[in-house]
Amino acid sequence: MKQLTDTNPVARGLAWLARAIFHHRGLFLYPQLALAALCIFYTVTHLNFDLRQDDLVGSDKKYHRNFLRFKKEFPTQDDLVVVVESENPEKNRQFVERLGARLDLETNLFRDVMYKNDFNMLGSKALLFVPDKDLEELKHTLVDYRPFIQQFSHTTNLASLFGMINTQFRTAKREENAENRSMMKALPTLQRIITQARDSLHRPGSPPSPGVAAFFDAGEKVYINYAKGRIFLLISQAATEDLNDDAVERLRVLVDKTKMEVPGVNVGLTGEPVLDHDQMGQSQKDAALASIASLFLCALIFVYGYQETGRPVKATFCLLVGLAYTLAFAFLPWPVGHLNILTITFVPILIGLAIDYGVHLISRYEEELRHGRGEEEAMVKAMVFTGQGIFSGAFTTAGAFLAMYFTDFKGIQEMGIICGGGLLICFVPMMTMLPVLLLRGHQNAIDHVQGSLDERRARIESLWLGRPGTTAGVILVLCALAATQLHKVHFDYNLLHMQSAGLPAVEYEQKLIDSTPKSVLYGAIVATNLEHAIVLEQQITNLPSVESVDSMTQFLTEDQSAKLELVNGIKRDLSSISFPEPDRAPVALSDLSLTLYSLYGFLGAAYDEVRKDDPDLAGQLASLRQAVEDLRKDMLRGGVADLQHHAAKLAAFQQAFFDDVRNTFQGLQNQDTRTVLRPQDLPQVLRDRFVGVTGKYLLMVNPRQDLWKREHQKAFIDDLRKVDPNVTGTPVQLFEYTNLLKDSYIEAAKYSLMAIVALILFHFRSLWSVLLALLPVAVGSLWLGGLMGWLNIPVNPANIMTLPLVIGIGVTNGIHILNRFAEEQSPNILARSTGKAVLVSGLTTIAGFGSLALGKHQGLQSLGYVMATGLATCMIAALTLVPALLNLMRPKSGSPQDPGKQKTQRREGFNDAGSGGTEVKTSCTTQV
């Protein structure tokens, strides 16, 4: 191998820099401190995080162009989904009603709030959305209830309502007639009203109305619910896409407030904006934790490794200056200007990598001082010889990152620019400011009188250096064992497995998948007109992977002449019914109590009358009688303040109830039957969702199976692409996103390898050196793959970043070892400052990446574990295999030189040239 000298252009430049630093220290210190302060100010004032996963992909891809066109046509498709779960459907209903009322008031953040499909929400053509069969049943129900409704329409409060019931009981004839049948059918309605009136006394906040469902015993049918009422959904959207994060945070506040009013329910948020928000939020927390832990661990390793605090602290300070520069660089408008879900991890990564510059420089500077050199000579020697390795290692690792720029994945390109640029930026203060700081302090004087070799490390190194053949054989066996496990390594495409463990948004998304046919993921197919939509929907519904299609096509294209006749009939039946303005005064508890007491008596008499002949009816009467008694007791319980509170609560309940009923029946009476349903007649919430800004129509295709699983995702997309090659939506984005991510990192690894080979070849001018430098990477990567297969750890979209990084980072170990061998022609590495620096820098890099495993985000955890393991295996291979091979390749004229003899020669200004004991004056020694 060609000997390393101080005559090449890089060495001469580093020598000039070292002397300039020595003689003009202030010029390299104070301007950088001022620049660092300026960078910190700029960073604080220009923080910008891009949370949108869609922005990680470049717009040049066809599938992404389709998605962007879809988002432009249908700009409000990102649902915020509130999942309400309990065994009590009434509690669930109460929760969504109260939360929905709150969201309706905050139009600055929320729009298109939907949790039920009642007549008021559907508007003046609501009945045209009802299927023919259900519409006929509604007409018959209204006819059956007509006597009761007619009487009800004369009431304005709870007292008059129950007074009307008392009158019907008092005047009822002992015969079968329409009035009696109507009243008996209304018993469940009355019990529902009384039960919810009593419930309103005990819940804070404004009570919701029982709704028109109380009349027709529709119950949960009106609401979006699944699993027999165990799960209710409320769906909303942020007012604009830019407000997604604010809407998520505010929605959580409103959910917490509603929980205080309706305890005993499990409530969680999910939906794409929530998943993105929570993922970015957790990633920010994890990155901050990892940065602090990384900085602490790296400093601790540095201090312990060198048994001092002064120089490690100085190196850490210079690292912080470099990080300040890099943060400002990251937020510059060009070339990136923000951090995303990938680049947010760059700080702990740079901490673990950039500290290596200081480790190697300090190690060599310390060694030269202990050889008796003066401060200037020691700094020149360290900067020239070890500096060349640092220079090559910095550009090699930076090259591995910068090679990512040539991939097709925008997020990876930004990762490469920020991390690669950051490594080169951190190189500046480490090679200019750190030497200034090293020239200060009492440790320099101490090093002049201390020994130059660590005998313990030399003894450890002799275990493999003295047995190079055995060492190579053991490593070969370990490689063979690792190779047997490689077939077990697979790629996990499921992005839910990368989310934070226990993240509520993920758990509630899984609840939707497991308990309902509903998922936040759906395929989106856009039709140019209604005729096109009809054809597409017919084809889609027959696909094996499709559960259902949500669209407005059926309602806008069906023959509605029969429906219009039914609606006109309903309007005629209700035309004579008129509801007066509800009573707005506080409830008179004494009057209501007297009325309820009378009702209690009538119900008892009716119970005695029918209990033998009609036990079912008797059971209803007994249950209603008990509800009446419970309401009277609760509303009259307490002192004066309690009674006033109860009166106000019941007043709020009756106003909500009577307003709702009045508005509902007026809405039925005013149904528009002049024309069939047209796109402009759709309610705003449905028009926003299904009709585009240019009049196109959306078909929301619901999958039959869980689309987070890769095989189901692929089958679903393949099926839809048979119908429409331009199908889009989140499933398509996820499918293509993970494909592109995987391919881009593989591509980045290839580019990194090519860049590294070129840089090593340029530095050493030897193909053999290139192979030796890359050999630890190959061996370490093989061991890593074997461990992943043995422990069943999959490759995923996060830890696949290991591919280019292990190559770029792991190769630096070999570069520094070969650099020292080229300088001295001796394989004794671990006992020298280079081996110590490789060990310490390897541990700091492992700590930098390993700190990512401390967070909750499973993707970052896996990246931390895999990178730390890969770097450890590469470091072990470099410190054992490379010196052993170098020893095997040397002439066999003797054994490795005794460390004590090397120590004596170095103090005389000589370098050991090999096992034969030949001594060669270095050009640097002669020059100095």
Short mmCIF file of all heavy atoms in Angstrom, two decimals, residues 19 80 200 223 297 333 372 375 464 468 484 503 526 610 636 638 666 678 767 850 916:
data_model
loop_
_atom_site.label_atom_id
_atom_site.label_comp_id
_atom_site.label_asym_id
_atom_site.label_seq_id
_atom_site.Cartn_x
_atom_site.Cartn_y
_atom_site.Cartn_z
N ARG A 19 -1.40 25.74 10.82
CA ARG A 19 -0.51 26.84 11.23
C ARG A 19 -1.28 28.17 11.32
O ARG A 19 -1.02 28.99 12.19
CB ARG A 19 0.65 26.96 10.24
CG ARG A 19 1.59 25.75 10.31
CD ARG A 19 2.85 25.97 9.48
NE ARG A 19 3.75 24.83 9.64
CZ ARG A 19 3.73 23.76 8.87
NH1 ARG A 19 2.87 23.69 7.86
NH2 ARG A 19 4.57 22.76 9.08
N LEU A 80 -61.90 13.76 9.83
CA LEU A 80 -61.58 13.60 11.25
C LEU A 80 -62.68 12.71 11.82
O LEU A 80 -63.86 13.09 11.81
CB LEU A 80 -61.58 14.96 11.96
CG LEU A 80 -60.67 16.05 11.37
CD1 LEU A 80 -60.98 17.39 12.01
CD2 LEU A 80 -59.22 15.69 11.57
N SER A 200 -81.17 14.35 31.84
CA SER A 200 -80.67 15.72 31.67
C SER A 200 -80.42 16.40 33.01
O SER A 200 -79.64 17.35 33.09
CB SER A 200 -81.66 16.55 30.84
OG SER A 200 -82.85 16.80 31.57
N TYR A 223 -78.50 7.36 13.37
CA TYR A 223 -77.11 7.73 13.60
C TYR A 223 -76.16 6.80 12.85
O TYR A 223 -76.51 5.67 12.49
CB TYR A 223 -76.81 7.70 15.10
CG TYR A 223 -77.60 8.71 15.88
CD1 TYR A 223 -78.90 8.42 16.31
CD2 TYR A 223 -77.09 9.96 16.16
CE1 TYR A 223 -79.64 9.36 17.01
CE2 TYR A 223 -77.82 10.91 16.85
CZ TYR A 223 -79.10 10.60 17.27
OH TYR A 223 -79.83 11.54 17.93
N LEU A 297 -25.06 10.81 25.84
CA LEU A 297 -24.32 9.55 25.75
C LEU A 297 -22.99 9.73 25.03
O LEU A 297 -21.97 9.16 25.43
CB LEU A 297 -25.19 8.51 25.03
CG LEU A 297 -26.39 7.97 25.80
CD1 LEU A 297 -27.24 7.08 24.91
CD2 LEU A 297 -25.93 7.19 27.03
N PRO A 333 -34.78 28.92 2.65
CA PRO A 333 -35.80 28.67 1.62
C PRO A 333 -35.33 27.70 0.54
O PRO A 333 -36.14 27.00 -0.06
CB PRO A 333 -36.06 30.07 1.04
CG PRO A 333 -35.65 31.00 2.13
CD PRO A 333 -34.51 30.35 2.84
N GLY A 372 6.07 13.85 22.92
CA GLY A 372 7.01 14.92 23.22
C GLY A 372 6.99 16.09 22.26
O GLY A 372 7.83 16.99 22.35
N GLU A 375 3.01 21.99 20.97
CA GLU A 375 1.60 22.14 20.61
C GLU A 375 1.42 22.37 19.12
O GLU A 375 0.54 21.78 18.48
CB GLU A 375 0.98 23.29 21.42
CG GLU A 375 0.83 22.99 22.90
CD GLU A 375 0.19 24.13 23.65
OE1 GLU A 375 0.02 25.21 23.06
OE2 GLU A 375 -0.14 23.95 24.84
N TRP A 464 -6.27 -11.19 18.36
CA TRP A 464 -6.56 -11.48 16.94
C TRP A 464 -5.42 -11.09 16.02
O TRP A 464 -5.27 -11.68 14.96
CB TRP A 464 -7.86 -10.81 16.50
CG TRP A 464 -7.92 -9.32 16.65
CD1 TRP A 464 -7.41 -8.40 15.81
CD2 TRP A 464 -8.53 -8.58 17.71
NE1 TRP A 464 -7.65 -7.13 16.26
CE2 TRP A 464 -8.36 -7.20 17.44
CE3 TRP A 464 -9.22 -8.94 18.87
CZ2 TRP A 464 -8.83 -6.21 18.27
CZ3 TRP A 464 -9.70 -7.95 19.69
CH2 TRP A 464 -9.50 -6.60 19.39
N PRO A 468 -3.90 -14.11 13.00
CA PRO A 468 -4.71 -13.58 11.89
C PRO A 468 -5.49 -14.65 11.15
O PRO A 468 -6.63 -14.44 10.72
CB PRO A 468 -3.68 -12.90 11.00
CG PRO A 468 -2.38 -13.54 11.35
CD PRO A 468 -2.46 -13.87 12.80
N THR A 484 -27.18 -18.27 6.68
CA THR A 484 -28.28 -19.24 6.79
C THR A 484 -29.58 -18.61 7.28
O THR A 484 -30.64 -19.22 7.18
CB THR A 484 -27.89 -20.39 7.74
OG1 THR A 484 -27.70 -19.86 9.07
CG2 THR A 484 -26.62 -21.08 7.27
N LEU A 503 -50.58 4.24 20.25
CA LEU A 503 -51.10 5.52 19.77
C LEU A 503 -52.61 5.39 19.59
O LEU A 503 -53.08 4.53 18.84
CB LEU A 503 -50.43 5.88 18.45
CG LEU A 503 -50.62 7.31 17.96
CD1 LEU A 503 -49.85 8.29 18.85
CD2 LEU A 503 -50.12 7.46 16.52
N VAL A 526 -63.00 8.89 -10.05
CA VAL A 526 -63.68 10.12 -10.45
C VAL A 526 -64.36 9.91 -11.80
O VAL A 526 -63.72 9.48 -12.77
CB VAL A 526 -62.68 11.30 -10.52
CG1 VAL A 526 -63.40 12.57 -10.96
CG2 VAL A 526 -62.00 11.50 -9.16
N VAL A 610 -105.17 -4.31 32.40
CA VAL A 610 -104.71 -5.17 31.28
C VAL A 610 -103.73 -6.26 31.70
O VAL A 610 -103.34 -7.07 30.86
CB VAL A 610 -104.05 -4.31 30.19
CG1 VAL A 610 -105.00 -3.24 29.69
CG2 VAL A 610 -102.75 -3.67 30.69
N LEU A 636 -87.46 16.74 42.29
CA LEU A 636 -87.87 17.40 43.52
C LEU A 636 -86.87 17.21 44.65
O LEU A 636 -87.12 17.68 45.77
CB LEU A 636 -89.25 16.86 43.97
CG LEU A 636 -90.41 17.13 43.01
CD1 LEU A 636 -91.68 16.47 43.52
CD2 LEU A 636 -90.62 18.63 42.81
N GLY A 638 -83.53 17.82 46.86
CA GLY A 638 -82.57 18.88 47.15
C GLY A 638 -83.21 20.14 47.69
O GLY A 638 -84.44 20.23 47.87
N GLN A 666 -92.21 20.49 10.36
CA GLN A 666 -92.28 21.56 9.36
C GLN A 666 -91.43 21.21 8.14
O GLN A 666 -91.83 21.50 7.00
CB GLN A 666 -91.81 22.87 9.99
CG GLN A 666 -92.81 23.50 10.93
CD GLN A 666 -92.32 24.81 11.52
OE1 GLN A 666 -91.15 25.17 11.38
NE2 GLN A 666 -93.21 25.54 12.19
N ARG A 678 -81.61 16.79 -7.75
CA ARG A 678 -80.56 17.27 -8.65
C ARG A 678 -79.28 17.52 -7.84
O ARG A 678 -79.33 17.64 -6.61
CB ARG A 678 -81.01 18.56 -9.33
CG ARG A 678 -82.27 18.44 -10.17
CD ARG A 678 -82.85 19.82 -10.48
NE ARG A 678 -83.18 20.55 -9.26
CZ ARG A 678 -83.63 21.80 -9.23
NH1 ARG A 678 -83.78 22.46 -10.37
NH2 ARG A 678 -83.91 22.39 -8.09
N LEU A 767 -6.99 -0.02 -5.70
CA LEU A 767 -8.21 -0.83 -5.69
C LEU A 767 -8.22 -1.78 -4.50
O LEU A 767 -9.27 -2.07 -3.92
CB LEU A 767 -8.32 -1.63 -6.99
CG LEU A 767 -8.70 -0.84 -8.24
CD1 LEU A 767 -8.64 -1.74 -9.47
CD2 LEU A 767 -10.10 -0.25 -8.09
N GLY A 850 -28.69 4.71 18.22
CA GLY A 850 -29.40 3.92 19.22
C GLY A 850 -30.35 4.74 20.06
O GLY A 850 -31.35 4.23 20.57
N GLY A 916 9.87 -5.91 10.45
CA GLY A 916 11.30 -6.11 10.39
C GLY A 916 12.08 -5.07 11.14
O GLY A 916 13.29 -5.18 11.29
#
